[in-house]
Amino acid sequence: MMDQPGIGAALDRVDGMAKVTGRAVYAGEHPARGLLYGVAVGAEITRGRIVSIDASQARRIDGVVEVLTHENRPHVPWFDMRDGGSADSAKPPFRVLRNADIAFADQPIALVVGTSFEAARRGAMLVTTRYESASHNTRLDAALAERRTPEQKKRRNVTRGDVEAARAAAAAVVEQRYRLAMEHHHPIEMHATTVEWHGDGSVTVYDKNQGSQNARDQLAQAFGHAAGTLRVINPYVGGAFGSGLRPAYQAYLAMLAAVMLRRSVRVMLTRRQMFTHVHRPACIEDIILACDAESRLSAIALRATTSTSRVETYTENVVGWGPAAHPCPNLRLDYAVAALDTPTPGNMRAPGAATGMNLFEIAMDELAYARGVDPLALRLINYSDTHGLSALPYTSKALMAAYREGATRFGWHKRSHEPRSMRAGRELVGWGMATGIWDALMLPASARATLDRDGMLAIASAASDIGTGTCTIMAQIAAGALGLPLERVRVFLGDSSLPATALEGGSSMAASVGAAVSRACNGLARRLFEILTQSKDHPLGAARFDEMEFRDGRLRLAGDPSRSMALGDIVALSGESSLQCEAAVDPSKDGVGAKAKNTHSAVFAEVRVDEELGVPRVTRLTLAVAAGRIINPKTARSQILGGAVMGIGMALQEQSMFDHRLGRIMNHSLAEYHIPCHADINDIEVIFVDEPDAETSPLGVKGVGEIGIVGTAAAIANAVHHATGKRIRELPITLDRLL
Ligand code: MOS
């Protein structure tokens, strides 16, 4: 008997071989007949306007076909769409080549199109531009005076109780300013688009994004395409981390060139241009925490400001996480944004929580030291089974188990409380911990299951696998539901013409698409049963559906393999060539109402700091995660590992550094924008604690894409304090800040 590869099996990725052998074709690799290549030219000033732009030299380069600027680009509906407002994923991004205005450094001001990438790149170097400069500001500090709270965020700025009275009566108070640097997403695959021009007015757009249908809708609207004439395909996405929630500007540039030249066009961003697309906003947060003599939180006051651009307003939930995880009667939350002359920021892995919760958990560590209590004990004293802001009970919350199992595996009880009290040779050893929290989201999704006479099952959904393992877990869910070996299941994702799904964001895919796939397969199972039991001389007798089992590619009476039929043969019985079932999940119907839905984690970090050099290394991390049901422990663990590695980057390395006089990012390459490399990564242990949940989503799944970064940076920062006695309140903790 073969193993059933269903929910819970630690399977390898079904698309792993295609990826490592290069058979997986990405957006910037799709072949197209007569393909042209576009290279974007960036503005040399940070703010102002173009006075004149001269492309005559570029046009003389052999192979250069056209140079698009704001003066000659085709007019499409995009340029008439309404401006500004909130920068959410369903809104068009910054409109490149719209007019002569320059809003940020390196803003694309021209697209050189050639018959080869090399010709286009050469041409791009020869475009000369005259500008009229205006003053700019890229410092968040200097913009704080102009901070403002967007209307739709005002109701989240909760005030309750009496913070000042609680603070006056407190046994301990922490009041400090914390900072997080601007960070940039760095997926392996740069943003890229290949527009295939079909000549009949329709186009196929191979684009890197986190939502084939969102990209289709946005591009169709921007370019005036009728329904069905623009299709977006993205079966493989080489990581995105939120950078693909909105289509990136190269998609619009490629479309503009295709429309103008009536040819297929490819535009791919360079690594440097990835710094002009989207980023995690910088944050400055003033935190006040107070507790009573029992170390129970008595006051929380948070005043956070994140950066946005001058052209749009990007907001996130920064201040809501700490008080959600650690309830407190007296609260004052104040979130606002301040505009800089940069591109608009956007979602980056656990947007808002990675910022707000990591800074909050550093402050919690400070409160523990101010009170002289163990940092873990402080969390346990303030533990709650209800959500601290909404006061709602959780669908499930196994954070207590996460604290316990994480602490045990890490060996937290062996820690000595005093900073600088643990050593290994020349190195100071520090142990720190933090709490993580993220939303357990379910979004609208649908999927189609099609079974043919050969017993092959095809699963189809517009959702794409952004590198997280979606394809694998969908195959698993389907195989498990119909008792098929994995080789008999094919998963088709990342195509806007497939059944509708929401964006691949917020760690929602496993719960949402997973439930749709499960439903579609269960619907198919019932059809198969009906077809078989309505046929003559079938082997099941008077058995009911609930007495059936699907195993080894057969439908059979539970426990009796002799009374069974192969699924493909049942399809044949129907007279059809295949049977199909489509199903959807709708959070408004399938979601729970009055309960809080969150994932949680307890993160424990060990750092070692060479006393003479001052260089911190993360030598151990333990993440105990409570995320409901885990479909595939292997791919789920990889998600947590990835989040933890990003957390290490956030704690010690990642920052987009401006030369503020020029308003330009100086470290715009992976040589100088530091992310952790293999040598920076040591032992990372991931524990999934048992968290049965029958309510968060139909499969009890909560999602694991983002929780791994939340709390990790704080645990490391707290470990650095424990090792060195120095409290650094500015992430990343670089050498200059630590020395
Ligand atoms: Mo995620 S930042 O919602 O892709």
Side-chain angles (χ1 to χ4, degrees):
M1 185 177 305
M2 64 192 93
D3 265 354
Q4 274 309 323
I7 292 177
L11 299 179
D12 291 343
R13 285 170 186 250
V14 295
D15 51 354
M17 193 59 88
K19 285 182 171 175
V20 298
T21 56
R23 272 190 289 119
V25 179
Y26 289 80
E29 299 177 322
H30 275 277
R33 212 149 37 87
L35 181 67
L36 298 176
Y37 300 79
V39 170
V41 178
E44 294 143 306
I45 63 165
T46 297
R47 189 167 176 224
R49 55 192 305 281
I50 298 165
V51 174
S52 66
I53 187 160
D54 179 3
S56 55
Q57 274 198 68
R59 288 173 188 279
R60 280 198 285 273
I61 297 294
D62 199 24
V64 168
V65 173
E66 184 55 271
V67 180
L68 283 78
T69 67
H70 67 283
E71 289 168 339
N72 69 345
R73 47 81 181 159
H75 189 83
V76 297
W78 193 39
F79 294 114
D80 298 326
M81 288 164 76
R82 260 186 44 142
D83 228 356
S86 72
D88 63 52
S89 310
K91 294 259 178 69
F94 181 74
R95 276 163 286 177
V96 290
L97 310 192
R98 185 179 187 209
N99 55 34
D101 296 346
I102 304 296
F104 55 86
D106 238 351
Q107 174 189 318
I109 55 167
L111 184 77
V112 180
V113 183
T115 52
S116 71
F117 169 70
E118 290 76 11
R121 187 175 55 179
R122 179 76 189 119
M125 291 170 184
L126 298 174
V127 174
T128 53
T129 310
R130 288 202 304 120
Y131 305 93
E132 205 174 86
S133 281
S135 65
H136 65 262
N137 174 39
T138 50
R139 299 174 73 102
L140 184 53
D141 285 283
L144 281 185
E146 293 151 45
R147 73 193 289 276
R148 65 193 163 80
T149 304
E151 206 52 49
Q152 78 277 16
K153 288 283 164 183
K154 281 188 177 155
R155 63 181 181 82
R156 283 175 174 256
N157 278 350
V158 178
T159 298
R160 74 177 180 220
D162 188 338
V163 165
E164 293 312 320
R167 181 181 170 174
V173 178
V174 169
E175 177 170 9
Q176 293 292 347
R177 174 165 283 191
Y178 301 82
R179 290 161 191 272
L180 175 72
M182 178 188 288
E183 297 182 331
H184 276 79
H185 313 67
H186 280 293
I188 294 175
E189 180 199 19
M190 274 91 74
H191 281 274
T193 308
T194 304
V195 175
E196 195 178 1
W197 184 263
H198 298 303
D200 61 354
S202 73
V203 290
T204 306
V205 182
Y206 299 91
D207 180 59
K208 176 206 176 94
N209 64 67
Q210 292 170 247
S212 58
Q213 290 172 330
N214 179 52
R216 173 200 61 195
D217 294 349
Q218 294 210 18
L219 291 172
Q221 216 189 355
F223 290 87
H225 269 263
T229 62
L230 189 151
R231 179 178 173 196
V232 173
I233 296 184
N234 64 340
Y236 296 106
V237 175
F241 313 117
S243 70
L245 288 169
R246 300 165 106 185
Y249 66 74
Q250 90 289 332
Y252 294 81
L253 286 175
M255 282 291 293
L256 280 173
V259 166
M260 185 168 179
L261 302 168
R262 308 181 65 77
R263 298 270 298 267
S264 295
V265 180
R266 169 178 305 156
V267 181
M268 187 192 279
L269 299 188
T270 62
R271 185 56 70 180
R272 173 172 165 174
Q273 287 169 336
M274 291 292 283
F275 286 85
T276 61
H277 168 44
V278 72
H279 57 268
R280 189 194 299 284
C283 180
I284 297 175
E285 184 171 13
D286 294 320
I287 301 183
I288 300 170
L289 298 182
C291 68
D292 61 21
E294 278 78 53
S295 301
R296 294 190 65 88
L297 283 163
S298 53
I300 297 176
L302 307 176
R303 186 173 194 268
T305 309
T306 55
S307 59
T308 184
S309 71
R310 266 188 231 280
V311 286
E312 286 170 303
T313 302
Y314 171 76
T315 62
E316 44 190 39
N317 172 14
V318 173
V319 295
W321 304 98
H326 309 298
C328 176
N330 303 298
L331 267 185
R332 193 170 65 225
L333 305 183
D334 173 3
Y335 171 74
V337 295
L340 302 178
D341 295 299
T342 65
T344 306
N347 297 287
M348 180 167 166
R349 207 170 201 165
T355 302
M357 193 62 179
N358 278 313
L359 298 182
F360 189 93
E361 288 293 296
I362 298 173
M364 280 291 279
D365 200 69
E366 294 202 58
L367 188 66
Y369 275 87
R371 273 297 297 150
V373 302
D374 175 80
L376 175 58
L378 180 67
R379 271 72 170 192
L380 297 182
I381 290 165
N382 285 283
Y383 196 83
S384 171
D385 286 318
T386 55
H387 188 279
L389 285 181
S390 66
L392 294 172
Y394 287 96
T395 54
S396 63
K397 181 181 177 182
L399 176 59
M400 186 59 85
Y403 283 137
R404 294 239 159 90
E405 288 180 38
T408 303
R409 292 302 296 258
F410 186 81
W412 184 258
H413 63 281
K414 287 181 267 181
R415 179 179 186 269
S416 67
H417 182 76
E418 281 312 304
R420 301 183 73 92
S421 62
M422 290 168 63
R423 288 182 169 271
R426 286 193 325 159
E427 289 185 308
L428 296 163
V429 176
W431 288 4
M433 62 82 56
T435 308
I437 179 171
W438 183 244
D439 286 325
L441 283 176
M442 195 171 51
L443 299 173
S446 55
R448 185 165 60 227
T450 310
L451 187 71
D452 68 18
R453 289 185 175 197
D454 296 327
M456 290 294 297
L457 179 68
I459 299 296
S461 172
S464 78
D465 183 332
I466 58 172
T468 52
T470 307
C471 191
T472 304
I473 62 174
M474 295 312 141
Q476 253 178 285
I477 291 168
L482 287 170
L484 290 166
L486 212 57
E487 316 80 70
R488 298 201 148 255
V489 182
R490 295 215 182 108
V491 179
F492 298 91
L493 300 175
D495 180 338
S496 63
S497 67
L498 296 177
T501 58
L503 287 163
E504 293 109 40
S507 302
S508 65
M509 284 294 99
S512 316
V513 184
V517 167
S518 167
R519 278 188 187 172
C521 291
N522 291 338
L524 203 52
R526 197 166 260 285
R527 278 284 302 286
L528 290 163
F529 171 76
E530 282 162 7
I531 288 162
L532 181 54
T533 51
Q534 282 160 19
S535 70
K536 266 206 317 248
D537 306 325
H538 70 84
L540 299 180
R544 296 185 316 269
F545 182 66
D546 60 12
E547 296 171 287
M548 295 298 113
E549 65 182 6
F550 288 82
R551 276 202 83 91
D552 307 339
R554 301 177 78 83
L555 167 58
R556 72 184 199 195
L557 190 61
D560 187 354
S562 73
R563 293 169 70 181
S564 70
M565 189 178 269
L567 300 190
D569 294 340
I570 306 177
V571 177
L573 266 184
S574 75
E576 309 284 336
S577 61
S578 66
L579 292 175
Q580 197 164 294
C581 183
E582 192 166 324
V585 284
D586 175 354
S588 66
K589 296 194 200 102
D590 300 312
V592 283
K595 287 205 177 167
K597 303 194 291 181
N598 289 93
T599 52
H600 292 92
S601 67
V603 188
F604 298 85
E606 176 183 277
V607 302
R608 294 191 180 204
V609 184
D610 181 300
E611 225 185 336
E612 277 153 46
L613 301 175
V615 183
R617 295 183 298 133
V618 179
T619 43
R620 262 187 332 126
L621 274 179
T622 298
L623 294 98
V625 179
R629 192 177 189 188
I630 301 301
I631 295 174
N632 181 330
K634 185 171 187 181
T635 53
R637 175 174 178 272
S638 293
Q639 281 307 296
I640 301 300
L641 290 178
V645 169
M646 255 181 168
I648 293 172
M650 176 179 264
L652 301 178
Q653 295 173 313
E654 287 195 54
Q655 57 179 331
S656 310
M657 302 172 81
F658 280 87
D659 179 330
H660 292 295
R661 288 165 309 163
L662 300 172
R664 302 180 78 85
I665 292 173
M666 298 180 290
N667 58 341
H668 50 53
S669 72
L670 288 184
E672 297 189 67
Y673 179 96
H674 291 173
I675 57 172
C677 66
H678 279 291
D680 298 314
I681 304 304
N682 294 290
D683 289 345
I684 304 178
E685 185 177 20
V686 179
I687 300 162
F688 290 110
V689 301
D690 200 29
E691 190 178 60
D693 188 312
E695 296 178 274
T696 292
S697 67
L699 295 176
V701 168
K702 286 185 172 179
V704 291
E706 292 170 287
I707 185 68
I709 191 174
V710 187
T712 299
I716 294 165
N718 296 340
V720 168
H721 166 260
H722 184 236
T724 63
K726 287 196 80 169
R727 182 66 72 179
I728 312 294
R729 302 185 180 88
E730 192 166 358
L731 301 181
I733 301 172
T734 46
L735 202 52
D736 54 316
R737 287 169 185 160
L738 192 55
L739 275 176

